[in-house]
Amino acid sequence: MTTATATPTARAATAEAVPGRRPPAAFALIAALLGFTVITIDVSAVNIALPAVGASLHGGMTGLQWVVDAYTLLFAGLMLSAGALADRAGARRAYAFGVGLFTLASLACGLAPGIGTLVAARVVQGAAAAVVMPASLSLIRQAYDDARHRARAIALWTVGGSVAMAAGPVLGGVLTESVGWRAVFFLNLPVGAAILALLVKVVPSPRRPAPIDVAGQVTAVLALAGLTFAVIEGGHAGWTSVPVLGSLVVAVVSAVAFHAVEKRHRAPVVPPAMLRDRTVAVSLAVGFAVNLAFYGLVFLLGLYLQQARGMSALTAGLVFVPLAVIITSTNLVSPRVAERIGRRPVIVIGQLVLALAMFVLLPLDAGTPMWLVLLLLVPTGLGGAFAVPALTALLMDSVPGPRAGIASGLLNALRQTGGALAVALFGSLVAGDGFSLPGMRVSLLIAGCVLLATSVLARAFLPAKPE
């Protein structure tokens, strides 16, 4: 067999056998970092584009809520099985499939003629993103044999996600104002093409037997979707309307079925024993609360700045620049502080600071000076970014090595669910004739109280030192 006609697997094997012929790990790292960045940006960038989407496609608040939550729900729900899928197919193959599907779905979003088509395309985007996230991390683990180099690469991957999360609203504002809201989705096309080109240089990944809990996965998605539909529609159609009551029944029945399936499946997506571990359970609750507050606030601020204050999408996006800088800087500092004083204090302090951020924003109205708005946003950037790195490290240390992937997927799923439910609930509270400032205040109060509750749980039940 000549080099020109060798299969990708054979070429990879030859490259590994000959010193100096193995493709550089940097290809895998850059590909993984780009994918993680683009799916993270898509969570927050769309928030700034929502008013423009509503004006263009004539979608009301319900439609705009689904534009955000259709993505987040599938992202959260399918995250539970995505790691097993990556193992079965091989990380590179799964990653290429996820990136390709995400890119095509982004094209469909950008071309959507109506709000219903956009929501449907966002569903596909969210499903693809759920495959991309765990596969991207698996690519890095595969590419770096040396533990020290691998740790640095993973740290860079994590920081890239944090920067993307914070910078998403800024990018969304710039693109919406300068080109149009469709550009937020079209930007994913060249990025997706670049990732697929980089993957050609990455060593093919081995496949590992990993059973997939289809019944558990389906019932989990149905439970989340039913609950979210009820919260979104309940604020508009009324809590006693037939569709809302029906969706609540679907959510409850699906949740009960999920519990029953997980008890009997030989490889459940959520092992019941894991949830009985108080460190795991409290860590998941904290992750849910932090994302509920942060993404709920990003959603509210995007609407407040444009609908209550009359800002352009570009100006509203620029308001998030100081927040992005604070989040990035705090993410880098948090692990060092945790080494000095312990992870539990960092997690508790981070939640309390984020709760404070919710409460200090309560007096906001349409006439609040912008310098004061920017000042009041400082605790928002500090709180969540301070808590999450320590929370993730604590959770990873509290589970056996073979369960680390499941625990990571579960934490990400709960965090995304927190963001989805925040958009559903807060969007219902601020809906009406224009943007409801009283509804925003109730939303902030809810987020702050949830954070106070989980900070008490963290202080009481999380270990002072890793067990």
Side-chain angles (χ1 to χ4, degrees):
M1 181 181 292
T2 64
T3 303
T5 59
T7 65
T9 303
R11 289 198 299 270
T14 303
E16 291 188 85
V18 180
R21 291 284 302 279
R22 182 172 181 174
F27 287 124
L29 175 59
I30 295 171
L33 185 59
L34 282 175
F36 185 35
T37 298
V38 77
I39 65 171
T40 305
I41 283 178
D42 225 70
V43 177
S44 55
V46 174
N47 281 289
I48 291 297
L50 287 178
V53 171
S56 173
L57 302 183
H58 309 292
M61 180 60 74
T62 301
L64 298 183
Q65 287 171 276
W66 277 116
V67 168
V68 177
D69 273 353
Y71 179 89
T72 311
L73 271 178
L74 269 293
F75 196 175
L78 296 182
M79 188 82 68
L80 298 173
S81 292
L85 177 64
D87 285 340
R88 286 174 67 94
R92 192 183 77 161
R93 184 177 286 101
Y95 191 60
F97 171 78
V99 169
L101 184 61
F102 184 87
T103 304
L104 291 175
S106 297
L107 176 62
C109 288
L111 296 175
I115 200 76
T117 308
L118 178 57
V119 169
R122 291 284 282 169
V123 168
V124 180
Q125 260 196 323
V131 177
V132 169
M133 178 174 276
S136 69
L137 188 55
S138 295
L139 275 182
I140 294 175
R141 292 173 66 94
Q142 166 191 312
Y144 290 87
D145 297 324
D146 181 79
R148 185 165 54 91
H149 293 161
R150 184 168 61 247
R152 290 177 181 174
I154 292 175
L156 183 59
W157 179 85
T158 304
V159 170
S162 299
V163 173
M165 179 178 67
V170 182
L171 183 60
V174 171
L175 290 174
T176 300
E177 186 69 16
S178 60
V179 185
W181 66 266
R182 296 179 189 274
V184 173
F185 299 107
F186 288 145
L187 180 66
N188 297 335
L189 305 185
V191 177
I195 293 171
L196 294 175
L198 286 167
L199 287 177
V200 175
K201 301 289 187 179
V202 176
V203 176
S205 308
R207 300 185 185 187
R208 299 183 180 88
I212 296 179
D213 178 8
V214 176
Q217 182 63 85
V218 170
T219 51
V221 171
L222 285 175
L224 287 175
L227 178 59
T228 304
F229 181 90
V231 174
I232 289 177
E233 296 297 328
H236 303 280
W239 293 98
T240 58
S241 64
V242 173
V244 171
L245 292 176
S247 64
L248 285 174
V249 170
V250 170
V252 171
V253 171
S254 299
V256 172
F258 175 78
H259 179 69
V261 166
E262 297 306 275
K263 289 174 62 177
R264 292 171 174 78
H265 200 279
R266 64 188 181 90
V269 290
V270 182
M274 181 180 288
L275 294 182
R276 288 194 290 269
D277 184 307
R278 68 181 186 183
T279 300
V280 173
V282 173
S283 296
L284 295 177
V286 172
F288 174 90
V290 168
N291 264 40
L292 179 142
F294 182 82
Y295 281 114
L297 180 59
V298 170
F299 174 76
L300 291 172
L301 278 177
L303 296 175
Y304 160 77
L305 293 171
Q306 295 178 77
Q307 295 186 349
R309 300 189 67 106
M311 287 185 176
S312 67
L314 175 59
T315 306
L318 292 176
V319 170
F320 288 86
V321 170
L323 190 62
V325 173
I326 293 170
I327 289 174
T328 303
S329 303
T330 306
N331 259 287
L332 295 173
V333 172
S334 173
R336 299 179 184 178
V337 177
E339 289 179 4
R340 286 178 170 270
I341 68 174
R343 291 168 180 164
R344 185 177 69 182
V346 168
I347 294 168
V348 173
I349 292 170
Q351 290 180 91
L352 292 176
V353 171
L354 190 55
L356 174 65
M358 302 298 110
F359 296 141
V360 299
L361 289 169
L362 288 174
L364 284 188
D365 58 34
T368 304
M370 273 312 301
W371 67 266
L372 183 56
V373 174
L374 292 172
L375 182 63
L376 294 178
L377 284 176
V378 169
T380 301
L382 294 173
F386 196 59
V388 170
L391 176 71
T392 305
L394 179 64
L395 178 63
M396 292 298 98
D397 283 350
S398 67
V399 297
R403 293 288 178 88
I406 296 175
S408 176
L410 190 55
L411 176 62
N412 282 311
L414 263 292
R415 290 181 63 194
Q416 295 299 330
T417 300
L421 291 181
V423 170
L425 178 59
F426 298 172
S428 299
L429 291 172
V430 300
D433 295 328
F435 182 83
S436 170
L437 286 170
M440 183 177 76
R441 295 185 184 111
V442 172
S443 301
L444 294 172
L445 189 61
I446 291 171
C449 290
V450 170
L451 284 165
L452 289 180
T454 53
S455 67
V456 171
L457 289 175
R459 178 64 182 84
F461 296 111
L462 291 183
K465 295 180 179 180
E467 296 177 345

